[in-house]
Amino acid sequence: MAGTAGTAGDGRTGHEGAGPAPLAPRARLFPSLAAVYRAQLSRARVARIPLLFVATFQSVGIMVLMRGVVDGGSEARAVVAGSSVLVVAFVALNLLAQYFGHLRAGGGLDHYATLPVPPAAVVLGAAGAYASFTVPGTIVTAVAGSVLFGLPLTHLWVLVAVIPLSGAALSGLGAAMGLLAPRQELATLLGQLGMSAALLLGVLPADRLPGPIGWARDLLPSTYGVEAFSRSFDAHPDWAIVALDLAVCAVVGVLSLAAATWAYRRAAVR
């Protein structure tokens, strides 16, 4: 009995003296990013496919309308490039702004805040999932526009760089809009205004725009993706300038995603 009591006493003493169990290590960025990306992709697949069809139909319709006033040359290249990137703007900027605005208004950010994942993984995963939906529509728009305006299809491979870089820049901007907007309705409004800016400043030829509006065009993140794609239609593209436009788009994408990550941290702790 004494030995048993001593053993029980020792067990209680050891249990009482033990510290709290260590927490599990925080999830790393890239595995967390992959998990959030897959979850967002599967969740949004059914709901976003009809909207992607609308975005593609809208861009093709704009090109058909512009075909009546634009014959060819640099203006035709600008219309096709701008309409193709407009699909990215519709999904990555407009819909993502609405999505994060809805999350903030409905308390969905509280769910993500409880997960042991870095804030950057949440923002990048959602942005990547939404940008992925733009790939089919952008390719269809680019091919249809090239056929409609008689442009060469030789260098459409440039879209491999244009889509993710423009998508990153516009996704970061859309996520920041949704996270910083104090009300869900304002997030929706900002997303719509951003897409309208991408429409007016991206599709219309740059030399047709007044000076101040041309300056605003230079500030739009998707402009450099449009310019890079437009230059690829030349008979002998200046690949150095194309690479420079893509590099600027990449830098803007990094900055906009960093701003969206900061906005997520700010919204999650309020």
Side-chain angles (χ1 to χ4, degrees), residues 36-127:
V36 173
Y37 174 81
R38 289 193 300 268
Q40 289 289 337
L41 199 63
S42 61
R43 175 179 299 178
R45 183 182 293 117
V46 176
R48 301 310 173 193
I49 286 179
L51 294 175
L52 177 60
F53 174 79
V54 171
T56 306
F57 183 81
Q58 170 186 263
S59 294
V60 173
I62 289 172
M63 291 190 298
V64 172
L65 291 176
M66 294 297 292
R67 184 66 180 86
V69 296
V70 174
D71 294 329
S74 61
E75 294 181 346
R77 295 193 292 269
V79 169
V80 174
S83 299
S84 300
V85 177
L86 181 62
V87 179
V88 182
F90 181 86
V91 177
L93 193 158
N94 183 26
L95 296 185
L96 200 59
Q98 295 182 33
Y99 172 72
F100 274 109
H102 173 72
L103 273 186
R104 178 176 179 179
L109 291 181
D110 296 337
H111 166 71
Y112 284 106
T114 60
L115 299 178
V117 297
V122 177
V123 174
L124 294 176

Side-chain angles (χ1 to χ4, degrees), residues 2-22:
T4 304
T7 303
D10 293 342
R12 286 194 299 270
T13 303
H15 177 73
E16 292 172 357

Side-chain angles (χ1 to χ4, degrees), residues 206-234:
D207 55 1
R208 298 285 187 92
L209 299 174
I213 299 181
W215 300 337
R217 183 177 185 271
D218 294 336
L219 297 176
L220 190 67
S222 59
T223 296
Y224 303 96
V226 172
E227 289 293 330
F229 188 32
S230 177
R231 297 180 197 277
S232 70
F233 287 116
D234 295 340

